[in-house]
């Protein structure tokens, strides 16, 4: 029996305690014998595809919880300073530790590769009928999307990773494959095929499954990342990103939700105009999010939170005084029935993240099991990607770029950017992405591709692992290193 040693499945998949205290055991390995074909009709294939979204969620140890923990490395979200030996402090100081933080690397690795493995089964094992192939292609297009998305996250987090696209790739001694080759052979082809095969309206009718437009949003994002660090392909790839984003803007019929705060209302999460692809959470159906106690302060009353995440005070103070700021931050709260404190007087002295509070269904901070939506792409993303990519591609600011940026600012009731100076405009778009996507687990990736980590965290950068070893990658989980004998990323 040949075992693929770098994909471990895990037990204890349901969130029952603070995401700071997760204890998981390796359960099994993916083997060639488990690499089976899916049923061959559209309905049963769709069931297999739907399981991919649960794999990505990973019992909440996958995309939602761990991506936010890793994003503490950025400058928008931070950690509780009063928790003794808080492992998130190592991310904030840009000195991640392969031992202390290992679960934060192991869980994304496991679940992204679980998605890839299952997507490969669907893609390779499902025949497409010669007559009227469209229905099957649309379903398989979701598998291509999920494979491309998963590899896209893996290379941004870990750099060189194993390339596995077919059954023949599952064997002992599989090496790590260079980032450029993963883009060339897995990410771009998978997302391109997804954009070709997916329907213009998603299978579910809203963002719980991807449409053609979601695939194009991810494709544009991949091109923009290829233009920046580490591949640094520059203007040619910014032009590719701009072309794809422009197609979405002109042809998708998507639009911004009128009120920013409505994007985060439980009752409105199935609206299909802005959210393009997301994980949809339901605590009663045991597909919960981590938006419950994790985001409430430790001294919050009537239900003390876990204070896993706070807003960075410096980021909050720089944030424009617009409608988003009013929604995204809680700066005072009850610590007892009769006492309210400002965040500066609170136990942790930091503003709280209130972006997702509606998901507690009227019982603030009462439970870890929360509803909600973890949005991975929305239309605002596409507008800001076009504004940035088109400007960097041409070193000029076109009318659609200005319009796209201003649409986002108008919705926020923020000051409109009117400059057509390319550098000033690029700076405005970068800032706008920070404000718009606060605490949405995007900031670290923006800072890395543009190599702005040192700009926003100069003190931490000076003694960081990333500066010392000249890269921005987290370590390959130590279980994978022990099993495979790979050389880890420098510094780990």
């Amino acid at each position: 029996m040949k075992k693929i040693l770098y994909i471990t499945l895990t037990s204890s998949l349901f969130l029952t305690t603070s995401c700071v205290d997760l204890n998981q055991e390796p359960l099994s390995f993916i083997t060639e014998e488990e690499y089976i074909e899916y049923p061959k009709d559209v309905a049963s294939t769709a069931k297999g595809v739907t399981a991919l979204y649960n794999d990505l969620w990973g019992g909440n140890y996958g995309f939602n919880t761990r991506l936010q923990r890793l994003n503490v490395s950025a400058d928008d979200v931070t950690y509780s300073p009063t928790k003794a030996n808080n492992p998130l402090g190592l991310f904030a100081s840009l000195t991640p530790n392969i031992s202390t933080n290992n679960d934060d690397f192991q869980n994304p690795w496991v679940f992204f590769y679980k998605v890839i493995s299952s997507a490969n089964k669907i893609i390779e094992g499902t025949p497409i009928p010669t007559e009227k192939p469209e229905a099957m292609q649309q379903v398989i297009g979701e598998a291509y999307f999920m494979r491309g998305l998963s590899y896209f996250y893996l290379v941004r987090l870990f750099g060189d990773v194993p390339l596995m696209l077919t059954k023949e790739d599952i064997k002992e001694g599989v090496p790590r494959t260079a980032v450029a080759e993963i883009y060339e052979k897995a990410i771009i082809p998978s997302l391109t095929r997804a954009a070709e095969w997916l329907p213009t309206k998603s299978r579910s009718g809203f963002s719980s499954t991807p449409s053609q437009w979601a695939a194009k949003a991810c494709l544009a994002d991949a091109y923009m990342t290829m233009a920046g660090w580490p591949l640094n392909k520059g203007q040619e790839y910014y032009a590719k990103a701009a072309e794809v984003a422009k197609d979405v803007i002109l042809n998708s019929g998507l639009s911004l939700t009128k009120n920013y705060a409505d994007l985060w209302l439980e009752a409105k999460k199935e609206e299909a105009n802005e959210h393009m692809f997301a994980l949809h959470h339901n605590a009663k159906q045991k597909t919960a999010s981590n938006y419950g106690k994790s985001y409430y302060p430790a001294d919050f009353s009537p239900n003390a939170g876990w204070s896993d995440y706070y807003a960075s005070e410096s980021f909050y103070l720089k944030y424009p005084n617009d409608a988003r700021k009013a929604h995204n931050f809680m700066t005072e709260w009850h610590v007892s029935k009769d006492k309210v404190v400002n965040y500066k007087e609170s136990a942790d002295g930091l503003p709280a993240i209130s972006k997702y509070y509606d998901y507690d269904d009227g019982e603030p901070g009462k439970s870890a099991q929360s509803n909600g939506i973890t949005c991975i792409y929305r239309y605002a993303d596409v507008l800001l990607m076009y504004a940035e990519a088109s400007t960097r591609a041409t070193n000029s600011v076109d009318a659609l770029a200005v319009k796209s940026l201003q649409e986002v600012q108008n919705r926020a009731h923020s000051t409109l950017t009117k400059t057509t100076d390319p550098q000033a405009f690029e700076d405005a778009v970068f800032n706008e992405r920070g404000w718009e996507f606060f605490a949405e687990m995007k900031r670290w990736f923006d800072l890395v591709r543009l190599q702005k980590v040192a700009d926003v965290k100069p003190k931490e950068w000076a003694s960081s692992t990333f500066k010392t070893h000249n890269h921005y990658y987290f370590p390959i989980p130590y279980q994978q290193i022990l099993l495979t004998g790979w050389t880890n990323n420098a510094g780990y």
Side-chain angles (χ1 to χ4, degrees), residues 66-123:
R66 294 302 180 182
L67 268 292
Q68 192 67 283
R69 288 172 65 82
L70 295 174
N71 191 64
V72 171
S73 303
D75 64 328
D76 61 336
V77 173
T78 191
Y79 68 105
S80 169
T82 61
K83 289 184 179 181
N85 302 313
N86 191 334
L88 291 181
L90 295 169
F91 291 127
S93 65
L94 305 180
T95 57
N97 184 281
I98 191 171
S99 177
T100 305
N101 302 122
N102 188 67
D103 282 350
D104 296 314
F105 317 129
Q106 176 74 357
N107 292 137
W109 181 280
V110 166
F111 292 112
F112 283 129
Y113 266 114
K114 191 164 186 270
V115 170
I116 289 166
S117 177
S118 297
N120 285 344
K121 295 176 187 179
I122 297 168
I123 291 167

Side-chain angles (χ1 to χ4, degrees), residues 1-7 30-38 40 116-126 147 151 163-174:
M1 180 182 294
K2 294 180 180 179
K3 294 181 178 179
I4 183 165
L5 299 179
Y6 46 79
I7 307 178
I30 298 294
T31 69
E32 285 192 32
E33 285 77 2
E34 292 169 331
Y35 195 97
I36 59 175
E37 293 185 355
Y38 271 63
K40 297 176 175 57
I116 289 166
S117 177
S118 297
N120 285 344
K121 295 176 187 179
I122 297 168
I123 291 167
E124 190 178 18
T126 308
R147 183 169 76 180
Y151 269 120
L163 179 61
M164 184 179 68
L165 298 175
T166 69
K167 181 165 56 178
E168 285 68 35
D169 295 332
I170 301 179
K171 55 190 176 183
E172 290 187 73
V174 175

Side-chain angles (χ1 to χ4, degrees), residues 279-297:
L279 298 179
H280 284 244
H281 304 288
N282 187 307
K284 289 183 179 179
Q285 295 179 10
K286 299 189 183 302
T287 55
S289 71
N290 76 330
Y291 297 130
K293 298 178 75 69
S294 283
Y295 286 77
Y296 281 87

Side-chain angles (χ1 to χ4, degrees), residues 34-51:
E34 292 169 331
Y35 195 97
I36 59 175
E37 293 185 355
Y38 271 63
K40 297 176 175 57
D41 60 279
V42 171
S44 55
T45 302
K47 289 181 180 179
V49 168
T50 298

Side-chain angles (χ1 to χ4, degrees), residues 211-267:
S211 66
Q212 172 189 134
W213 310 115
K216 290 183 176 181
C218 189
L219 183 60
D221 198 5
Y223 282 140
M224 288 186 68
T225 304
M226 294 174 78
W229 192 91
L231 300 183
N232 296 314
K233 289 183 175 290
Q235 288 183 308
E236 177 187 358
Y237 277 75
Y238 281 123
K240 289 175 181 285
E243 181 181 7
V244 176
K246 185 175 183 179
D247 178 28
V248 179
I249 293 169
L250 297 182
N251 298 308
S252 68
L254 296 171
S255 61
L256 295 179
T257 293
K258 183 177 180 180
N259 297 310
Y260 178 82
D262 288 353
L263 287 164
W264 319 111
L265 295 180
E266 175 70 14

